[in-house]
Amino acid sequence: MLEALDLLIFGIYLAAVIGFGVSFSFRNRNSNDFTTGGGRLPSWALGMSIFATFVSSISFLALPGNAFGGNWNSFVFSLSIPLAAWIAVNFFVPHYRKLQSESAYFYLEERFGLWARIYASVFYLLTQLARMGAILYLLALPMQALFGWSIPLIIAVTGFSVIIYSMFGGLEAVVWTDAIQGLILISGALACLGVIFWSIPGGASEVFSLAMEANKFSLGSFELDFSSSTFWMILIYGLFINLQNFGVDQSYVQRYISAKSDQDAIKSTWLGALLYLPVSLLFFLIGTALWAFYQAQPELIPAEIAGKADQVFPYFIVNQLPAGLTGLLIAAIFAAGMSTVSTSINSSATLILSDHYKKYIHPNPSESTSLSVLRMASLIMGLVSILIGWAFNGVGSALETWWALASIFSGGVLGLFLLGFILRKTSSRQAAFAVLAGVLVIGWMSLPAILALAGKEASWEQPLHSNMTIVMGTLTIFVLGFVLSSVSKPKLN
């Protein structure tokens, strides 16, 4: 259980974030203020927001767990980000800045018709609901051990806290709270690493000595094998995931068009992307340092905790950190989760207004009506995410369930975007056929994992690692679209 000082620090943090976020409600005079911050946001704050969107509570807890239980193979994912960011600032950012649409999927409608925009928008909303539910639940697991509260209560407290400032403060509140939460997250992680280095007999040199002997810094096998977690498999998977983030994720696109200028948009994208690289390295170093810490002092950790890598970091936070610093780390974990959920709520509300309300209900709503729709959509998305978080309670593996759902919901959108962006002569019908084929491939590759989560066994095994699902789905759509357009040579729609 936490000491009174830690609870006080955490309580002050939570109240300050909510109060600070709600204070921006007075600056939301119209829907543009709510969705883009009225063009008032500096590039460094947007960059911190992009970084905070990258880092969820999953990252804060899972990355040290990966390093503790294995090696640095998963760090290869971060190495793909600079290449994805280079592609983004040279192609995606100028593209969306030129369009100046609040919807990331406006371009798909222009290129392929209304069906493409609806498809991408609906599947994005489903992805965000699954993502928010998974983050709220996974955040609640260590919090339950730390506070002793029930998991549904923690999910509700976290969810309602984020809903309040997202609903009233709009994108400006989300970005500025992301920036603050990002700084808290980095400060907490650095403080934790410092305590480990200070506390282990022999200091930091002992950490590196033990880790080198055990090959804990290995990036994995360099064989060209895509059926297991090799260096190349993780690198390609990371590239496709990050191209999806930078290229078709509504939350990133909103930040591109919210910048004051094209240069500011480029600066914020580079800042958010490149900041994640050293911070993710920091998380992996914490995991490796924890392994060395408990190797040197095995009596400090129960065997049942040591055998569950994801629980080691929360255990260390509660049992080894001094009072006050524990509260800071708890705030940092909450910061990681809240920043990601608030971003999803705001981007989803923006899509509901632009892609659905204005399309089906009222094409030219007044500013007051638009603001009401944005706030109501924020409330509904937040409440549904809490319900989904509760539904995750009791699932065998929430993280694997989220990965399976994310592959199905979002795997085809990147392929469709690249098809339209790169191949100018692909028709709407050809694109629809390619997307259908891609979704079938994604479903075929995802189904064994989904059946396994349900306690059933598929009658086949797909030959590739499950992370390759998005890669194969995207390539199926792009290659098939290329073949169809090359064979028939249609006129541009």
Side-chain angles (χ1 to χ4, degrees):
M1 295 295 289
L2 297 182
E3 294 189 15
L5 177 60
D6 297 312
L7 287 171
L8 178 63
I9 290 173
F10 175 71
I12 291 173
Y13 158 77
L14 202 60
V17 166
I18 295 172
F20 181 69
V22 171
S23 70
F24 287 95
S25 61
F26 301 106
R27 307 185 71 174
N28 288 327
R29 294 179 292 272
N30 54 51
S31 59
N32 184 60
D33 287 339
F34 191 98
T35 59
T36 68
R40 296 183 291 265
L41 295 162
S43 59
W44 73 266
L46 287 168
M48 285 297 296
S49 183
I50 290 173
F51 159 74
T53 302
F54 261 118
V55 183
S56 68
S57 52
I58 297 173
S59 306
F60 201 103
L61 297 168
L63 298 188
N66 282 348
F68 181 92
N71 53 31
W72 283 31
N73 176 235
S74 298
F75 178 67
V76 177
F77 176 92
S78 301
L79 299 180
S80 70
I81 292 177
L83 176 56
W86 182 87
I87 295 172
V89 299
N90 283 280
F91 300 101
F92 301 155
V93 173
H95 171 73
Y96 286 112
R97 291 283 300 178
K98 184 179 178 181
L99 289 176
Q100 277 298 309
S101 171
E102 60 190 8
S103 168
Y105 311 121
F106 168 78
Y107 168 73
L108 293 179
E109 181 181 5
E110 280 199 326
R111 182 66 181 82
F112 295 121
L114 182 59
W115 72 267
R117 183 173 184 173
I118 294 173
Y119 161 75
S121 180
V122 168
F123 273 68
Y124 177 82
L125 294 174
L126 291 173
T127 302
Q128 296 313 300
L129 285 172
R131 183 188 197 193
M132 290 188 288
I135 288 172
L136 289 173
Y137 173 66
L138 290 168
L139 175 63
L141 292 179
M143 294 301 102
Q144 194 269 341
L146 298 172
F147 288 107
W149 298 347
S150 72
I151 286 177
L153 178 61
I154 298 171
I155 291 173
V157 168
T158 311
F160 278 112
S161 299
V162 178
I163 287 171
I164 291 170
Y165 74 78
S166 301
M167 182 177 169
F168 292 102
L171 184 72
E172 202 165 6
V174 170
V175 167
W176 282 112
T177 51
D178 279 358
I180 293 170
Q181 289 166 334
L183 293 172
I184 292 173
L185 184 151
I186 295 170
S187 301
L190 286 171
C192 187
L193 184 63
V195 170
I196 298 173
F197 283 165
W198 180 267
S199 303
I200 187 173
S205 61
E206 183 69 8
V207 170
F208 288 97
S209 175
L210 290 172
M212 291 291 287
E213 288 178 11
N215 201 29
K216 296 292 284 185
F217 295 116
S218 170
L219 297 177
S221 168
F222 283 84
E223 292 183 15
L224 285 175
D225 176 12
F226 296 99
S227 63
S228 60
S229 292
T230 62
F231 176 93
W232 300 110
M233 191 284 291
I234 296 293
L235 188 68
I236 292 174
Y237 165 73
L239 178 61
F240 275 73
I241 286 289
N242 287 306
L243 284 177
Q244 177 175 285
N245 289 337
F246 287 120
V248 297
D249 191 301
Q250 171 68 21
S251 60
Y252 288 77
V253 173
Q254 268 182 258
R255 281 149 183 76
Y256 302 159
I257 64 174
S258 298
K260 297 175 182 178
S261 65
D262 292 357
Q263 276 305 113
D264 276 2
I266 289 171
K267 287 178 184 176
S268 64
T269 303
W270 274 123
L271 174 62
L274 296 184
L275 184 57
Y276 182 77
L277 196 60
V279 172
S280 63
L281 185 147
L282 174 61
F283 286 140
F284 277 95
L285 187 54
I286 287 173
T288 302
L290 283 172
W291 175 85
F293 180 87
Y294 287 120
Q295 281 289 307
Q297 304 166 103
E299 70 279 1
L300 295 181
I301 187 170
E304 62 269 22
I305 298 294
K308 298 176 181 178
D310 287 343
Q311 295 184 19
V312 173
F313 193 22
Y315 180 86
F316 177 86
I317 291 171
V318 173
N319 293 279
Q320 303 298 330
L321 293 183
L325 191 54
T326 298
L328 174 65
L329 263 293
I330 301 305
I333 293 173
F334 257 77
M338 291 173 70
S339 62
T340 306
V341 173
S342 66
T343 294
S344 293
I345 288 176
N346 183 268
S347 61
S348 298
T350 302
L351 276 190
I352 289 171
L353 173 66
S354 63
D355 288 3
H356 301 282
Y357 185 83
K358 289 183 177 179
K359 281 287 180 184
Y360 316 135
I361 301 173
H362 197 318
N364 295 299
S366 65
E367 286 300 336
S368 61
T369 299
S370 295
L371 271 174
S372 296
V373 171
L374 286 166
R375 285 173 175 153
M376 184 56 64
S378 299
L379 176 62
I380 292 172
M381 290 295 293
L383 291 176
V384 174
S385 71
I386 291 173
L387 295 177
I388 292 174
W390 288 345
F392 270 105
N393 195 7
V395 170
S397 173
L399 193 56
E400 290 183 12
T401 303
W402 149 242
W403 283 338
L405 291 173
S407 295
I408 295 172
F409 290 157
S410 62
V413 179
L414 175 61
L416 179 60
F417 173 77
L418 294 177
L419 196 60
F421 190 74
I422 298 174
L423 302 180
R424 301 301 305 163
K425 58 184 180 179
T426 306
S427 71
S428 175
R429 183 175 296 180
Q430 291 164 350
F433 189 81
V435 168
L436 178 61
V439 170
L440 288 174
V441 168
I442 290 167
W444 178 78
M445 293 185 69
S446 302
L447 195 56
I450 294 173
L451 290 175
L453 292 170
K456 299 179 182 178
E457 188 173 341
S459 57
W460 76 93
E461 281 188 24
Q462 53 109 346
L464 300 176
H465 192 282
S466 59
N467 285 0
M468 292 295 290
T469 300
I470 184 176
V471 178
M472 298 309 298
T474 300
L475 290 177
T476 297
I477 294 170
F478 185 80
V479 172
L480 183 56
F482 172 77
V483 170
L484 290 174
S485 60
S486 298
V487 170
S488 61
K489 300 187 183 298
K491 294 180 180 179
L492 185 64
N493 279 10

